[in-house]
Amino acid sequence: MNKKKWTIGLSAIALAGILAVGGVLAWLTAQTATKKNTFVATAGLSGAIQEVNWDGLDYGNNPVTPQPSPLGRDMAKDMLPGMVIPKNPQVKNTSQKEPAYIAVRLDISCDGAEGQAALDAVSAFADIRFNTGEWTALGTSKDGKAVVYVYNTAVEAGSETSDVFKSVNVHNNANAADIKDFQIDAAGYLAQVQSGKTAADCIKAAFPDLV
């Protein structure tokens, strides 16, 4: 069986905070250079993202003990039919006291396609099994390069979401012609909880250019 390389990462993370000031909703966003840096808004919201089964690093970019074995990033260098490649992005609300709604943007590229089209291309040779019991798909990002998922419930300060998905499962019957190189980059977004509003409502209101 021919081997294929799979490039997948979390190279750019946007973490944002929302603050209602004097009855007017004001929002702040920032994008960090690496997945392990976090953004702290003056609103008091902050967050971090990890995928420990992929790279063996915690929210602070420190190696965990014991290390998961094998790591997803190592398996993905030579992708073969039947492989189950661990990759489990999740977000932690590192704020001091404020609960938050959380969304994850997944920028996907495969064989020249982006966003949902790329996800469809990947599905020809692998399954990405999203945790649809706790995460809801909001749709394609406005720039067409990503799909966006929102965590269904508010996350208390110091707590974390479940994994958006746990692995990429390469089809047993995939062949060299089927398997393509692809990449997934994840970005996390945090919004202040508003009474009477759903997670999707708060994320969409806070980030109108997201989805």
Side-chain angles (χ1 to χ4, degrees):
M1 291 180 289
N2 291 343
K3 295 181 178 180
K4 295 288 290 185
K5 288 186 177 180
W6 173 35
T7 304
I8 204 163
L10 290 168
S11 59
I13 301 307
L15 293 164
I18 307 304
L19 173 64
V21 182
V24 178
L25 186 66
W27 60 275
L28 301 170
T29 62
Q31 189 165 357
T32 65
T34 66
K35 78 178 180 72
K36 297 303 180 182
N37 292 338
T38 62
F39 170 79
V40 182
T42 56
L45 287 180
S46 64
I49 194 164
Q50 72 170 15
E51 46 177 6
V52 67
N53 291 337
W54 169 261
D55 57 15
L57 302 176
D58 64 15
Y59 289 111
N61 204 28
N62 302 305
V64 299
T65 303
Q67 278 280 287
S69 181
L71 291 174
R73 67 181 181 188
D74 295 330
M75 296 179 67
K77 294 174 182 177
D78 294 295
M79 190 166 53
L80 294 171
M83 274 189 171
V84 177
I85 301 171
K87 184 172 176 65
N88 59 323
Q90 63 182 142
V91 179
K92 182 175 184 178
N93 178 4
T94 60
S95 308
Q96 292 296 312
K97 60 181 180 179
E98 291 292 332
Y101 284 129
I102 293 176
V104 169
R105 170 186 167 123
L106 299 168
D107 283 76
I108 306 174
S109 59
C110 178
D111 200 28
E114 294 180 313
Q116 185 61 51
L119 191 58
D120 293 341
V122 171
S123 69
F125 59 86
D127 294 325
I128 301 176
R129 299 175 181 177
F130 290 98
N131 180 2
T132 54
E134 296 177 288
W135 293 82
T136 297
L138 289 186
T140 302
S141 61
K142 287 191 175 179
D143 61 10
K145 296 181 179 181
V147 294
V148 180
Y149 277 77
V150 63
Y151 197 59
N152 295 334
T153 56
V155 179
E156 297 295 327
S159 298
E160 61 191 7
T161 67
S162 60
D163 303 332
V164 185
F165 57 93
K166 290 186 178 296
S167 63
V168 175
N169 298 15
V170 185
H171 297 163
N172 287 323
N173 61 352
N175 56 49
D178 295 328
I179 301 174
K180 308 291 184 182
D181 295 349
F182 68 97
Q183 181 168 337
I184 300 177
D185 297 321
Y189 295 81
L190 286 82
Q192 186 181 37
V193 174
Q194 298 181 59
S195 178
K197 301 291 186 180
T198 66
D201 291 338
C202 290
I203 291 293
K204 288 179 178 180
F207 305 99
D209 295 328
L210 178 59
V211 65

